[in-house]
Amino acid sequence: METMRRESKLDDEWVTLLKEAKALGLSTEEVKRFLQKNQKQKKTV
């Protein structure tokens, strides 16, 4: 049986954004909360 290999390509802009957030001292949890908060606000507008 052949094993399927799953590959994913990261968006360069997202990688840059996350690197900048890390350089500013933001945790991954803080970034997640920020994105979730803004997504909720976007839906209510």
Side-chain angles (χ1 to χ4, degrees):
M1 190 153 95
E2 192 175 312
T3 303
M4 292 181 68
R5 188 171 164 193
R6 191 172 163 187
E7 294 182 29
S8 63
K9 182 179 178 190
L10 297 175
D11 184 319
D12 290 336
E13 290 179 13
W14 279 106
V15 172
T16 300
L17 176 69
L18 294 175
K19 284 181 179 180
E20 288 180 14
K22 185 176 181 179
L24 291 170
L26 298 173
S27 69
T28 54
E29 195 58 41
E30 289 171 310
V31 173
K32 286 179 188 178
R33 277 191 301 236
F34 174 79
L35 294 172
Q36 289 171 347
K37 177 183 174 188
N38 287 314
Q39 183 179 20
K40 289 177 186 176
Q41 287 178 352
K42 194 181 226 184
K43 287 181 181 179
T44 60
V45 173

